[in-house]
């Protein structure tokens, strides 16, 4: 065991391009066909929305690759920290004068150019890009670039990851810019944004963000058990080994899982079995699934749980106890003891976060994003803390004192957020 780690093809991490992109064929084709239509297609500007680890970045990168191979010009940045317009400006500088900026590695690619590094890449076309007149702002530079692309029968793709973390002002300006270029001027500037469901409470909750409201939306979700098994199998195969469907069957027991979870399982399986030299067995798969549970708990579920306001946690706990599927909202209101307004806030919060589905207005179902076993365990931890009165300011007889409060733990100071549940913007005390 262990000797084969260096050859492990799995990527149990964030933002890493997977060896095999599982279960996203339909989504890719859908977006590609929107892109092929041009600025008039609603999907020419698309938002990819999904919980952590569902593979938004992986999907974004796959689309960048596919557009690049079509000869599109790519401007790819992330909104994780303020300064997105400067970053877009840097990519534009580089596209216009690749030799002057000294950014990353520049390779000649036909007559085009390729840059990789500094957390973004701008990839270019098979024609010479003309620099915009000096002192133009990004909007006009992007428009100028898009009109050149149009003349060469191609398009520009503006790709923005982590849009949920974007600065509101900057995002508003970005939205206005794209609206102007793509919608009003009908220039071939396609937009792809990716972010967490938090954007329903941020970017998509304001009345001013009209551009983002009008973007085509695609939910990036969990893989079905069959897609997860196939994903592991294809990854193993791409690395020159094999794993049979029967040997991988224990993965099916976990139901729908995130691609990240699939990578964690696959990675353990590779190491435990001694792939690629020895085959993967059913026992190794079962053991890997088990090891992955513990890892998911520590790396994902616990943090996610404590990021949820207390009423959301109660709702998840009661929902699980009631069987988790098609549970009536009325029963839940009773068992959680939450007021109607709090209940509806909590429900929306969990829905945006990808934890629950509402098959009908009066029913709630768990998605599996937070597995039953994790909910059970974390709810028990909550009960213990409340029973011990450790969070005394938070509780009255084990119940949250004020369920209307957000209750999210503060990141820099001790204590919890005292704002109203479902508040806009950052937490405060
Ligand atoms: N469709 C997929 N098939 C196989 N592996 C995938 C797939 N999508 C993502 N992955 C893998 O799962 C991990 C998480 O994916 P990724 O970073 O794209 O998620 P994300 O949704 O962008 O997460 P975050 O919300 O944290 O940004 C990555 O290491 C990636 O290699
Ligand atoms: Mg990501």
């Amino acid at each position: 065991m262990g000797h084969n780690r260096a050859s492990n093809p799995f990527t149990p991490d964030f933002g890493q391009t997977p060896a095999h992109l599982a279960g996203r064929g339909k989504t890719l084709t859908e977006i590609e066909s929107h892109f092929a239509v041009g600025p008039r297609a609603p999907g020419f500007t698309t938002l990819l929305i999904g919980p952590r680890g569902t593979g938004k970045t992986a999907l974004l990168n796959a689309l960048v690759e596919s557009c690049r191979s079509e000869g599109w010009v790519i401007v790819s940045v992330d909104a994780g920290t303020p300064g997105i317009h400067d970053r877009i400006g840097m990519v534009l500088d580089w596209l216009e004068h690749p030799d002057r900026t000294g950014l990353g590695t520049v390779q000649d690619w036909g007559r085009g150019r390729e840059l990789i590094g500094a957390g973004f890449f701008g990839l270019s076309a098979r024609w010479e890009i003309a620099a915009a007149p000096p002192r133009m702002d990004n909007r006009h530079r992007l428009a100028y670039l898009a009109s050149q692309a149009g003349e060469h029968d191609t398009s520009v793709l503006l790709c923005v990851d982590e849009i949920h973390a974007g600065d509101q002002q900057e995002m508003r300006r970005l939205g206005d810019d794209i609206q102007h270029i793509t919608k009003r001027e009908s220039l071939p500037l396609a937009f792809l944004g990716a972010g967490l469901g938090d954007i329903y409470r941020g970017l998509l909750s304001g009345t001013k963000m009209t551009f983002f409201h009008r973007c085509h939306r695609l939910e990036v979700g969990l893989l079905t058990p069959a897609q997860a098994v196939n994903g592991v199998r294809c990854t193993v195969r791409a690395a020159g080994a094999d794993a049979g469907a029967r040997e991988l069957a224990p993965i099916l027991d976990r139901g729908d899982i995130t691609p990240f979870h699939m990578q964690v399982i696959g990675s353990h399986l590779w190491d435990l079995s001694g792939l690629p030299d020895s085959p993967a067995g059913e026992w190794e798969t079962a053991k890997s699934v088990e090891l992955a549970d513990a890892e998911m708990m520590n790396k994902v579920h616990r943090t996610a749980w404590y990021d949820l306001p207390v009423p959301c946690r109660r709702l998840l706990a009661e929902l699980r106890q009631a069987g988790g599927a098609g549970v009536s909202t009325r029963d839940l209101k009773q068992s959680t003891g939450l007021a109607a307004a709090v209940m509806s806030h909590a429900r929306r919060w969990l829905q945006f976060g990808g934890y629950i589905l509402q098959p009908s207005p009066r029913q709630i179902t768990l998605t599996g994003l937070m597995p039953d076993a994790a909910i059970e365990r974390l709810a028990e931890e909550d009960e213990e803390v409340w029973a011990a009165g450790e969070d005394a300011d938070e509780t009255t007889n084990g119940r949250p004192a004020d369920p209307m409060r957000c209750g999210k733990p503060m990141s820099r100071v001790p204590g919890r957020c005292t704002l109203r549940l479902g508040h806009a913007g950052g937490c405060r005390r």
Side-chain angles (χ1 to χ4, degrees), residues 16-73:
Q16 248 182 296
T17 299
H20 170 82
L21 192 72
R24 301 293 182 229
K26 237 179 82 193
T27 314
L28 277 174
T29 319
E30 185 188 331
I31 300 176
E32 282 163 0
S33 67
H34 285 303
F35 280 7
V37 174
R40 303 222 175 267
F44 204 63
T45 58
T46 292
L47 294 180
L48 305 173
I49 303 172
R52 283 214 81 190
T54 47
K56 301 175 292 299
T57 302
L59 199 53
L60 216 64
N61 291 341
L63 284 158
V64 161
E65 267 315 304
S66 121
C67 289
R68 181 176 79 118
S69 69
E70 296 280 311
W72 285 34
V73 180

Side-chain angles (χ1 to χ4, degrees), residues 74-147:
I74 315 287
V75 177
S76 178
V77 294
D78 77 87
T81 50
I84 185 173
H85 293 284
D86 291 345
R87 291 195 284 279
I88 291 174
M90 270 163 75
V91 179
L92 291 172
D93 284 348
W94 177 81
L95 285 168
E96 292 173 358
H97 305 285
D99 36 336
R100 279 196 225 154
T101 44
L103 283 171
T105 324
V106 180
Q107 302 164 347
D108 270 329
W109 185 64
R111 283 192 62 205
R113 311 158 193 147
E114 181 169 343
L115 168 97
I116 299 169
F120 62 80
F121 45 113
L123 300 167
S124 89
R126 296 164 180 127
W127 38 275
E128 209 52 54
I129 292 172
R135 283 206 288 278
M136 258 195 182
D137 61 10
N138 279 356
R139 176 188 293 192
H140 293 96
R141 289 175 84 186
L142 280 168
Y144 189 67
L145 183 62
S147 70

